[in-house]
Amino acid sequence: MSRRARILVINPNSSVAVTEAIDTALTPLRLSAGPEIVVARLEQGPIGIASQRDADSVILPLADWVKRDDADAFVLACFSDPGLHTVREAAGGRPVMGIAEWGLLRALTMGERFGIIALSPASIRRQQRYVRQMGIDGRYAGSTAVDAMAADTASPAMRDRLIAAGACLVRERGADVVVLGCAGMASHRRAVEEAIRRPVVEPTQQAVAVAISALLLKDS
């Protein structure tokens, strides 16, 4: 009997709360006939990816982990997509999905202009750079920060701030799709969507869905 395919979803920060939020958000994608989905955290990583230095600091540990792991596909569950291309090299041809890349690509299919709920002003700078590098800045309405750390985002107390940020993107920036800019925000997607009456993209779900498709279609 052939081995069941496995997708390893890596939270590059060390927050247990963020990792648990990611794991819960992926429940609808755990299909009996689909790949196994395992969520883990980089225990030696920072508590949150708050700066470019934080993002850069996890690149080599992520690459080393992926190189030695036998998973069939990987998802980097941080909206900075830290070390995405380095990790892809380490994976040796196995699929590696970045949640920012796939979250933004999904947003392009759901409306004309997307906005991003960011953690902080520093996060906004990285998002602006990434959107420009992807060549999709013409569809980018902007980002609004909630001034929080990644570990804070899974808390129910964060929901009103996320809703306010999403409403601001719609009202003041003209966004017709909103992307959650941190994996820890996953549990709030539906509540934000219902409150702002616009589609809301949870990027880890999107990246894992693409990884599932890649594995299911691999030998078709």
Side-chain angles (χ1 to χ4, degrees), residues 7-72:
I7 298 171
L8 177 60
V9 181
I10 304 176
N11 172 18
N13 72 50
S14 58
S15 170
V16 173
V18 170
T19 307
E20 291 176 347
I22 294 168
D23 193 54
T24 300
L26 298 179
T27 298
L29 297 173
R30 291 188 165 100
L31 310 175
S32 58
E36 179 186 10
I37 301 171
V38 177
V39 180
R41 63 192 174 99
L42 185 66
E43 294 184 7
Q44 70 268 41
I47 193 66
I49 307 293
S51 66
Q52 189 62 52
R53 182 172 182 172
D54 289 334
D56 292 344
S57 73
V58 301
I59 293 176
L60 290 181
L62 287 173
D64 290 343
W65 186 350
V66 166
K67 186 174 183 178
R68 68 176 183 266
D69 198 283
D70 65 353
D72 300 279

Side-chain angles (χ1 to χ4, degrees), residues 2-5 35 72 95 211-220:
S2 60
R3 180 180 68 88
R4 184 184 182 191
D72 300 279
I212 292 170
S213 297
L215 294 181
L216 293 179
L217 295 173
K218 180 181 177 181
D219 300 319
S220 64

Side-chain angles (χ1 to χ4, degrees), residues 163-179:
I163 290 172
C168 177
L169 288 168
V170 171
R171 182 179 62 252
E172 299 181 13
R173 302 294 188 91
D176 51 11
V177 181
V178 170
V179 181

